[in-house]
Amino acid sequence: MSINTKYIFVTGGVTSSLGKGIISASLAKLLQARGFTVTIQKLDPYINVDPGTLNPYEHGECYVTDDGAETDLDLGHYERFLNVPTSQANNVTTGRIYQNVIEKERKGEYLGKTVQVIPHITDEIKNRIKILGKTGQYQFVITEIGGTVGDIESLPYIEAVRQLKWEMGNNCMVIHLTLLPYLSTSGELKTKPTQHSVKLLLEYGVQPDVLVCRSEHPINQDIRRKIALFCNVEPNAVIEALDASTIYQVPLLMEKEKLDVIVLKKLGIEAAGELELTKWKGFLDKLHNPKSEVKIGLIGKYVELKDAYKSIAEAFIHAGVTNECKVNLEWIHSEDITEENIKQKLEGLKGILVAPGFGTRGIEGKIAAIKYARENKIPFLGICLGMQCAVIEFARNVLGLKDAHSREMNPATSSPVIDLLENQKTISHMGGTMRLGSYKCAVEEGTLAYSAYGKALVNERHRHRYEFNDEYKKQFVEAGMVLSGINPNGGLVEIIEVPNHPFFMGVQFHPEYKSTVEKPHPLFVSFVKATLG
Ligand code: GLN
């Protein structure tokens, strides 16, 4: 392996939710824009083996990679910024670390030794960090440590960083993200919480090299010097991170603060290309100057927590930019929709998206919204459960199968148009047992899907247990439904369409996971285009 991978750790202090993911992705973007190969990894200190079993209210969306890993939503940001796919190796939790160590212990691999947090857990963490570097694909591995410094849970991770800093010397550095609170009564930015959180890091033996300070107000030179003095960093390594109007602005804010230049200098890299951000800036320019606006309803059951549908919201931003229009999402709770109030609830929407989901809550509202979209010729896109609901709606109202349902919602239905696959029936474990990750989909020529993709074979990511029930294929096709996307190995239905409609499509997969700034997803682009009339 000829390349000498550099490791950058991003820790967080003072409070959670400072945006370590966006800062990591922005730094990665700048390094990539200078011609380097970069990947980003997230270490999550919770005990779940992965976030797949977490309620979206707890942790927001579960993001799925090509290789079928159920991961933290920050990986979505990494892909959207870098346009490079992530994998299982890019997200590791404490649960997975312990699971591995305990499995090794059971196999006798520790040869009778007492298995301990240090060195066994920390060694496992260090291995997971170095795995991406060892692929030889990346010049930089940025590792974001979840949680806040001082949390009991993150201690083994900080200890692993301390050891790696010692082992790797110049090939490794630490960026600490903190908050400068503003006291409006005295009109001051306060540095004490930052001083304390760096002190805490120092107690654990880790000296940060760069401090990125989140702030609502610009940070003047005096404050930078003060922080630098108390925290043993150079004044130019105290970086201001102001609140941004969009996450996509943050790489440019970091460029202005020269974060990339400071990082390259710290790591002793002299030969770096010029920053090439033309495409990125072109995207931002269109984002800030839309020629039109359009209102699209997002119908789901976690609408109070917008993070639950993060990738869908971002895919609409990308597709809006391609159409030079601003998509205003109206988040509508499916439980609030009834046959009686539907007209008033969906009034004025130029498009309707029915979101993915699990379980019965709000299902009838989703089905009602789809009927409304189909009958009133409002552009419709259904994703995963949204597609399944479109199949149920068609079965009930076009095929006349009044009792039609998914077996997930009604195991006793006489018309299970959505059903479990045979190989899912025997599964009793919840974690990692769905149909997950990338599968091929053959797209039928002459369909709406084909005109969007412009090709006959695509790969899309899945996360579900239930499927379109093959036994009903013929009935649906005879009644006019178009099955425009089929899995070439086995024939599962992946895309459905209703013709004689401006845009009516349901997809069993999740196109939103693959939409990036550089490559907005074709189905979202076509859907938004249809909403513009
Ligand atoms: N609950 C459905 C299934 O398991 C749909 C899942 C989803 O929308 N991600 O098949």
Side-chain angles (χ1 to χ4, degrees):
M1 214 178 314
S2 60
I3 63 173
N4 178 12
T5 304
K6 305 280 184 183
Y7 292 84
I8 302 171
F9 298 100
V10 179
T11 58
V14 181
T15 158
S16 57
S17 304
L18 289 180
K20 286 194 295 278
I22 300 297
I23 293 292
S24 304
S26 298
L27 171 60
K29 185 76 222 171
L30 294 178
L31 294 171
Q32 186 192 52
R34 287 188 180 278
F36 295 107
T37 49
V38 194
T39 189
I40 318 172
Q41 175 189 47
K42 170 106 189 251
L43 304 183
D44 275 312
Y46 51 73
I47 314 231
N48 304 62
V49 172
D50 61 42
T53 53
L54 283 170
N55 184 328
Y57 282 123
E58 290 273 328
H59 216 72
E61 166 187 281
C62 171
Y63 185 78
V64 178
T65 58
D66 280 331
D67 63 349
E70 297 179 278
T71 71
D72 186 78
L73 57 75
D74 272 340
L75 272 77
H77 291 308
Y78 308 161
E79 290 202 14
R80 289 186 280 271
F81 275 55
L82 298 181
N83 196 39
V84 175
T86 54
S87 69
Q88 180 70 72
N90 293 74
N91 192 197
V92 181
T93 69
T94 294
R96 197 172 288 279
I97 300 276
Y98 271 81
Q99 193 183 42
N100 250 39
V101 169
I102 291 169
E103 260 167 35
K104 277 192 209 162
E105 186 273 335
R106 293 287 82 182
K107 283 189 202 150
E109 288 183 22
Y110 293 109
L111 305 175
K113 285 246 177 289
T114 309
V115 181
Q116 296 183 297
V117 173
I118 304 170
H120 302 103
I121 294 296
T122 45
D123 278 352
E124 185 70 25
I125 294 174
K126 284 155 67 183
N127 287 339
R128 295 290 178 143
I129 291 169
K130 289 189 266 190
I131 272 178
L132 286 163
K134 283 186 188 149
T135 62
Q137 290 178 49
Y138 307 105
Q139 289 161 296
F140 290 91
V141 175
I142 301 179
T143 300
E144 177 191 344
I145 313 277
T148 307
V149 170
D151 295 348
I152 291 178
E153 300 185 318
S154 16
L155 275 174
Y157 294 93
I158 306 289
E159 169 60 14
V161 171
R162 185 194 68 79
Q163 295 178 18
L164 285 173
K165 254 202 130 182
W166 183 246
E167 285 167 29
M168 293 179 174
N170 246 353
N171 287 329
C172 147
M173 66 179 287
V174 175
I175 297 177
H176 187 56
L177 180 60
T178 86
L179 174 72
L180 298 190
Y182 179 75
L183 288 191
S184 55
T185 40
S186 57
E188 272 179 308
L189 284 173
K190 306 306 286 182
T191 65
K192 197 74 81 191
T194 295
Q195 295 178 38
H196 280 306
S197 105
V198 173
K199 285 260 149 64
L200 205 53
L201 258 185
L202 287 170
E203 248 174 62
Y204 302 144
V206 174
Q207 167 67 56
D209 301 288
V210 173
L211 297 175
V212 175
C213 307
R214 280 295 301 274
S215 169
E216 287 172 38
H217 297 273
I219 308 173
N220 65 31
Q221 284 308 324
D222 282 347
I223 297 176
R224 291 186 200 228
R225 268 195 295 271
K226 183 173 172 187
I227 295 172
L229 179 71
F230 277 104
C231 303
N232 327 320
V233 298
E234 287 166 28
N236 76 350
V238 179
I239 300 270
E240 153 193 293
L242 293 175
D243 297 348
S245 58
T246 147
I247 54 172
Y248 299 112
Q249 192 71 41
V250 179
L252 300 187
L253 295 182
M254 292 302 106
E255 177 201 3
K256 219 175 108 223
E257 288 287 301
K258 300 200 161 46
L259 177 59
D260 54 330
V261 178
I262 295 161
V263 162
L264 291 173
K265 188 164 166 242
K266 270 269 169 275
L267 294 171
I269 297 173
E270 275 152 26
E274 288 292 312
L275 268 177
E276 171 48 49
L277 285 167
T278 322
K279 272 196 198 155
W280 192 267
K281 287 180 179 164
F283 171 86
L284 275 172
D285 191 43
K286 283 192 182 165
L287 180 63
H288 290 137
N289 302 293
K291 295 198 174 125
S292 60
E293 293 197 19
V294 67
K295 191 156 91 179
I296 296 179
L298 189 154
I299 304 190
K301 68 171 181 179
Y302 304 109
V303 292
E304 308 85 342
L305 185 82
K306 305 216 159 39
D307 271 0
Y309 303 114
K310 193 82 204 160
S311 293
I312 294 179
E314 298 303 322
F316 273 121
I317 294 177
H318 310 152
V321 165
T322 309
N323 284 287
E324 299 198 55
C325 103
K326 177 168 192 288
V327 176
N328 295 315
L329 280 186
E330 191 164 313
W331 305 74
I332 303 169
H333 209 301
S334 51
E335 262 182 315
D336 296 343
I337 301 177
T338 60
E339 291 276 1
E340 291 72 46
N341 70 11
I342 190 138
K343 203 167 169 319
Q344 167 224 336
K345 283 271 175 207
L346 306 185
E347 191 101 75
L349 296 178
K350 296 287 183 251
I352 292 172
L353 181 137
V354 174
F358 296 82
T360 313
R361 190 164 68 89
I363 201 85
E364 291 304 324
K366 289 184 173 176
I367 294 170
I370 294 167
K371 178 168 185 264
Y372 183 85
R374 187 175 55 78
E375 292 180 344
N376 294 287
K377 306 232 182 275
I378 301 168
F380 162 78
L381 180 60
I383 298 181
C384 209
L385 179 61
M387 173 268 203
Q388 297 176 354
C389 287
V391 171
I392 297 165
E393 191 278 322
F394 196 90
R396 288 184 187 174
N397 300 318
V398 180
L399 302 183
L401 305 169
K402 289 295 165 215
D403 177 46
H405 222 318
S406 160
R407 260 211 228 275
E408 179 182 8
M409 321 300 163
N410 177 8
T413 174
S414 58
S415 306
V417 288
I418 303 292
D419 203 354
L420 269 188
L421 279 186
E422 223 29 64
N423 64 10
Q424 284 280 345
K425 289 186 182 160
T426 49
I427 288 172
S428 58
H429 268 49
M430 292 296 273
T433 53
M434 283 187 258
R435 184 176 172 214
L436 285 166
S438 187
Y439 286 88
K440 284 196 177 77
C441 172
V443 185
E444 178 82 17
E445 256 182 77
T447 61
L448 190 57
Y450 191 90
S451 68
Y453 281 116
K455 54 182 176 185
L457 192 65
V458 296
N459 285 288
E460 294 285 3
R461 299 182 194 170
H462 292 249
R463 181 174 188 251
H464 55 102
R465 279 183 215 287
Y466 292 81
E467 305 280 350
F468 185 108
N469 184 344
D470 269 2
E471 285 173 26
Y472 291 88
K473 260 187 185 168
K474 196 160 163 269
Q475 248 178 300
F476 276 87
V477 172
E478 279 169 8
M481 185 175 267
V482 175
L483 310 179
S484 56
I486 301 284
N487 181 315
N489 319 310
L492 289 173
V493 174
E494 313 284 34
I495 312 178
I496 58 125
E497 296 175 17
V498 172
N500 306 317
H501 189 288
F503 190 107
F504 190 102
M505 185 188 289
V507 291
Q508 185 57 77
F509 47 79
H510 291 262
E512 71 275 21
Y513 293 145
K514 286 184 78 170
S515 187
T516 70
V517 165
E518 210 165 291
K519 280 212 183 90
H521 196 284
L523 296 184
F524 275 88
V525 172
S526 299
F527 176 52
V528 170
K529 192 166 172 219
T531 66
L532 299 173

